[in-house]
Amino acid sequence: ILNVEQSPQSLHVQEGDSTNFTCSFPSSNFYALHWYRWETAKSPEALFVMTLNGDEKKKGRISATLNTKEGYSYLYIKGSQPEDSATYLCASNGGAQKLVFGQGTRLTINP
Amino acid sequence: DTAVSQTPKYLVTQMGNDKSIKCEQNLGHDTMYWYKQDSKKFLKIMFSYNNKELIINETVPNRFSPKSPDKAHLNLHINSLELGDSAVYFCASSHGAGGPADTQYFGPGTRLTVL
């Protein structure tokens, strides 16, 4: 059974501060790692998909890194803004075709 | 236009009833999925279809039956609803054959409450 774990489960950050959180996944049979952003009452929205060890992706103030050998990915948010408040999900492949999601990190930005 | 839509958004029903949730995507994707958000808030895959053919069928009670009339639609029918079926169900779609590197696009979810 593939376990994808995210930490912390929740996080409060002051507006303007930078933050990061972690996704851990089994490194064997790795194929892909996804990050999604999920705002309350909306659908999960794709941020990044990474497949190669050492991959780094960036979208605006949000970036992600991938270490497939040790089985972790970090998501970084620089200069947090209130609109960054959301749950951030990661997912990795649990076998050839399906994604297994972590429980998410709920991020709250305090103005 | 909503890319992945689900109806209804909320569904409240009695134990033992049969109900359906509909999903439609207008993205031209080949693969569609059903997920259940469990009590611990995890999104768990239930089914996926590629071009109307079942490719993932997780350990789900056979009271749950997906139906794909065409590749733009994947409906979920649930027979003999039980209290434990109460959850939020999400539909998603992706371009391609449904491989693990394919980005999935999610619908807004259907909150099912079984009384």
Side-chain angles (χ1 to χ4, degrees):
Chain A
I1 297 175
L2 177 70
N3 284 326
V4 177
E5 297 180 356
Q6 294 186 244
S7 62
Q9 285 193 21
S10 66
L11 191 54
H12 290 254
V13 174
Q14 205 62 33
E15 182 178 353
D17 287 351
S18 296
T19 187
N20 65 84
F21 28 91
T22 308
C23 173
S24 301
F25 54 89
S27 54
S28 59
N29 299 318
F30 171 83
Y31 197 94
L33 189 286
H34 297 245
W35 281 101
Y36 284 82
R37 183 170 176 274
W38 193 359
E39 289 183 72
T40 302
K42 293 189 178 179
S43 314
E45 178 186 343
L47 286 173
F48 307 114
V49 56
M50 297 179 286
T51 57
L52 298 176
N53 185 44
D55 257 355
E56 292 188 26
K57 295 279 176 99
K58 187 175 181 182
K59 185 183 286 189
R61 293 179 292 99
I62 304 176
S63 60
T65 61
L66 178 66
N67 183 322
T68 61
K69 294 185 178 179
E70 296 182 39
Y72 64 84
S73 175
Y74 292 131
L75 190 81
Y76 299 90
I77 302 178
K78 187 177 177 182
S80 303
Q81 299 297 309
E83 59 265 29
D84 296 329
S85 295
T87 295
Y88 291 83
L89 294 175
C90 73
S92 187
N93 59 293
Q97 290 179 308
K98 68 177 185 181
L99 286 182
V100 175
F101 282 82
Q103 195 171 10
T105 292
R106 181 188 286 272
L107 176 65
T108 304
I109 307 300
N110 301 317
Chain B
D1 278 348
T2 304
V4 182
S5 59
Q6 296 178 225
T7 53
K9 193 169 181 180
Y10 300 96
L11 183 54
V12 181
T13 188
Q14 298 287 329
M15 232 174 18
N17 284 350
D18 303 338
K19 290 293 179 185
S20 291
I21 307 171
K22 295 186 177 181
C23 179
E24 176 180 2
Q25 54 93 6
N26 62 7
L27 297 167
H29 286 166
D30 296 319
T31 304
M32 296 184 73
Y33 310 80
W34 277 110
Y35 286 87
K36 179 180 180 181
Q37 187 183 18
D38 67 16
S39 57
K40 295 185 177 181
K41 306 296 184 187
F42 284 96
L43 281 174
K44 297 269 180 78
I45 183 74
M46 299 173 71
F47 304 102
S48 74
Y49 271 72
N50 175 255
N51 280 319
K52 302 195 299 174
E53 291 196 19
L54 183 67
I55 54 172
I56 293 177
N57 185 354
E58 287 296 288
T59 308
V60 175
N62 58 14
R63 299 181 293 104
F64 290 78
S65 52
K67 285 186 172 50
S68 183
D70 54 62
K71 74 174 192 177
H73 295 85
L74 180 62
N75 303 324
L76 184 65
H77 188 76
I78 315 170
N79 288 326
S80 304
L81 277 154
E82 299 178 357
L83 294 176
D85 298 331
S86 295
V88 184
Y89 293 85
F90 286 90
C91 176
S93 71
S94 67
H95 182 65
D102 293 342
T103 296
Q104 296 184 20
Y105 296 81
F106 284 82
T110 295
R111 183 176 292 277
L112 171 65
T113 303
V114 182
L115 303 176

